Amino acid sequence: MNRFRNAVKSGEFLVTAEVAPPKGADPAHMIEMASTLKGRVHAVNVTDGSRAVLRMSSLAASIILKNNGIDPICQVACRDRNRIGLQADLMGASALGLHNILALTGDPVKAGDHKDARSVFDMESVRLLQMIAKLNQGIDWNEKTLPDGATDLFVGAAVDPQSPSWSGLKKRFERKLLAGCQFFQSQLISDFDKLEKFMNQIAVESNKPILAGIFLLKSAKNAAFINKYVPGVDIPEHIINRLAKAEKPLEEGIKIAAEQVQIASKICHGVHLMAIKREDLIPRILDMAEISPIEQ
């Protein structure tokens, strides 16, 4: 049962969350955090070398979560694999029952912990979407028939409604739609006016769900760090000041995230929650935002 795909098709308000694979061979903490999300999210995103930091492969981590009763969205980034490796992993994912895929270009190597590694970037996200569409039709990137069957992949992509280039945002969004994207998860949203403008002026006729990225800010220092090191993010000064003045910054961060979930629920089709290393707090955020548990 693909709970997430069914929820998309039925038009439910969508809730997803993000977990990072372990930095090592023991998945216990990842399983523990993801298990707290059962009944609260439709699917759990498993990152693929996010920020170019070494972790267990998203494919392996997704299988582990699936075996523990959690519907994963397996992120696939182009940075580390050429077109042969990407197609091989995608066929393997489909065969293993990992049908939800998020197609990403990938973060630059210089941002991560292996700065001397060689980047591949044989493809980027739009061409990866096109590749997945071909595989779903039973043909490979070279237009050769797959003799052992087509894949069955439900693919999404990232979108940044806060992009400084409005024309660039529109063009790339439309290219991803044409390439077969079925859902979009946004980067961290800090300007909800821009999100609403994007929904009203660009995404309005797409008929594909947009999930707003909501980040749990743990402190003013955490917010300042994100502003400095995460491209395209500009957390407002009043939010940072609110965290700085709070007696319990983490509790204030939970309130802020819940407020943002409520705002997003009036603008778009769902939310994608990011609470790095504190995924167990996501149910509290959803409760505070009055988002009901998901029927299993």
Side-chain angles (χ1 to χ4, degrees):
M1 177 67 69
N2 191 323
R3 185 72 185 85
F4 178 68
R5 191 193 309 212
N6 290 341
V8 170
K9 291 185 176 180
S10 64
E12 294 180 40
F13 182 78
L14 301 166
V15 184
T16 59
E18 191 167 283
V19 298
K23 196 171 176 67
D26 183 358
H29 180 70
M30 176 189 71
I31 295 170
E32 179 186 357
M33 289 294 102
S35 294
T36 66
L37 304 174
K38 286 184 178 180
R40 301 312 308 262
V41 304
H42 293 94
V44 172
N45 278 52
V46 183
T47 58
D48 183 17
S50 178
R51 292 174 36 247
V53 172
L54 171 66
R55 289 185 179 274
M56 181 187 288
S57 78
S58 58
L59 182 62
S62 293
I63 283 294
I64 291 169
L65 292 187
K66 183 174 183 292
N67 290 341
N68 280 271
I70 298 157
D71 194 12
I73 297 174
C74 183
Q75 295 189 0
V76 177
C78 299
R79 180 190 58 243
D80 305 322
R81 284 156 288 188
N82 65 14
R83 62 194 67 189
I84 299 172
L86 287 166
Q87 289 176 102
D89 280 353
L90 290 163
M91 288 187 286
S94 186
L96 290 165
L98 300 178
H99 300 296
N100 304 318
I101 301 291
L102 190 75
L104 302 169
T105 298
D107 298 318
V109 163
K110 64 181 181 180
D113 58 359
H114 285 64
K115 299 183 190 301
D116 295 330
R118 292 184 180 179
S119 299
V120 179
F121 289 120
D122 189 22
M123 315 289 281
E124 46 72 48
S125 59
V126 173
R127 291 207 297 165
L128 179 57
L129 288 166
Q130 294 168 343
M131 172 184 283
I132 292 169
K134 288 178 180 288
L135 293 174
N136 281 345
Q137 294 165 15
I139 55 177
D140 68 16
W141 187 250
N142 288 333
E143 303 291 341
K144 303 294 184 182
T145 299
L146 299 174
D148 298 312
T151 58
D152 177 20
L153 300 172
F154 187 68
V155 62
V159 65
D160 183 9
Q162 299 166 141
S163 171
S165 172
W166 196 249
S167 60
L169 170 62
K170 185 174 186 295
K171 180 179 179 181
R172 194 153 181 82
F173 180 77
E174 290 173 348
R175 288 182 66 205
K176 289 180 178 181
L177 282 174
L178 287 173
C181 186
Q182 298 298 311
F183 65 94
F184 290 87
Q185 292 174 321
S186 90
Q187 310 286 9
L188 186 164
I189 296 294
S190 56
D191 188 332
F192 287 87
D193 289 337
K194 286 185 178 179
L195 174 64
E196 187 167 21
K197 181 181 177 184
F198 167 77
M199 292 300 302
N200 291 335
Q201 297 186 17
I202 293 179
V204 62
E205 295 181 1
S206 70
N207 199 32
K208 303 297 180 186
I210 312 293
L211 283 72
I214 307 295
F215 196 94
L216 172 60
L217 299 167
K218 303 179 184 72
S219 65
K221 183 179 179 181
N222 178 219
F225 177 89
I226 291 168
N227 267 352
K228 184 175 181 180
Y229 292 106
V230 179
V233 173
D234 184 17
I235 297 167
E237 197 65 31
H238 71 87
I239 293 290
I240 297 176
N241 289 338
R242 181 174 164 184
L243 288 163
K245 293 176 181 177
E247 184 176 340
K248 296 180 179 180
L250 179 58
E251 292 297 317
E252 197 66 26
I254 292 170
K255 291 179 184 177
I256 291 168
E259 291 166 9
Q260 292 177 336
V261 169
Q262 288 182 319
I263 295 168
S265 70
K266 297 176 175 62
I267 297 174
C268 57
H269 312 96
V271 289
H272 175 59
L273 293 157
M274 295 165 277
I276 298 172
K277 297 182 180 179
R278 291 307 311 264
E279 292 84 0
D280 56 307
L281 295 176
I282 287 175
R284 283 186 59 195
I285 294 170
L286 293 170
D287 284 341
M288 199 174 291
E290 300 181 341
I291 301 298
S292 301
I294 292 164
E295 294 182 13
Q296 299 295 297

